[in-house]
């Protein structure tokens, strides 16, 4: 039986991840971050609601940002 995994191209190295937390929540920072959201470029902006501090809220925000 052929080894189908041998035909797969090598995986690309992971890209760096930057996390920016806007604790102040000012309007300029929020608008700039939301405008930077562009999934094809690898930029994902999460805009969690009040009280979403857990992993479930982060996962939901990430899925929503990815569409």
């Amino acid at each position: 039986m052929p080894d189908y995994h041998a035909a797969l191209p090598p995986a690309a190295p992971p890209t760096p991840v930057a996390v920016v937390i806007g604790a102040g929540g000012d309007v300029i920072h929020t608008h700039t971050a939301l405008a930077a959201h562009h999934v094809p470029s690898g930029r994902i902006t999460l805009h969690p609601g009040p009280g979403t501090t857990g992993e479930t809220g982060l996962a939901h925000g990430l899925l929503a940002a990815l569409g």
Side-chain angles (χ1 to χ4, degrees), residues 12-36:
T15 57
V17 174
V19 177
V20 178
I21 299 173
D26 64 14
V27 174
I28 293 172
H29 178 267
T30 300
H31 285 281
T32 303
L34 292 173

Side-chain angles (χ1 to χ4, degrees), residues 44-62:
I44 300 170
T45 301
L46 301 179
H47 193 206
T52 54
T53 58
E55 294 165 350
T56 304
L58 176 61
H60 182 269
L62 181 57

Side-chain angles (χ1 to χ4, degrees), residues 32-46 65-66:
T32 303
L34 292 173
H37 178 83
H38 188 256
V39 176
S41 298
R43 293 188 309 266
I44 300 170
T45 301
L46 301 179
L66 291 172

Side-chain angles (χ1 to χ4, degrees), residues 3-17:
D3 181 10
Y4 294 105
H5 296 291
L8 295 175
T15 57
V17 174

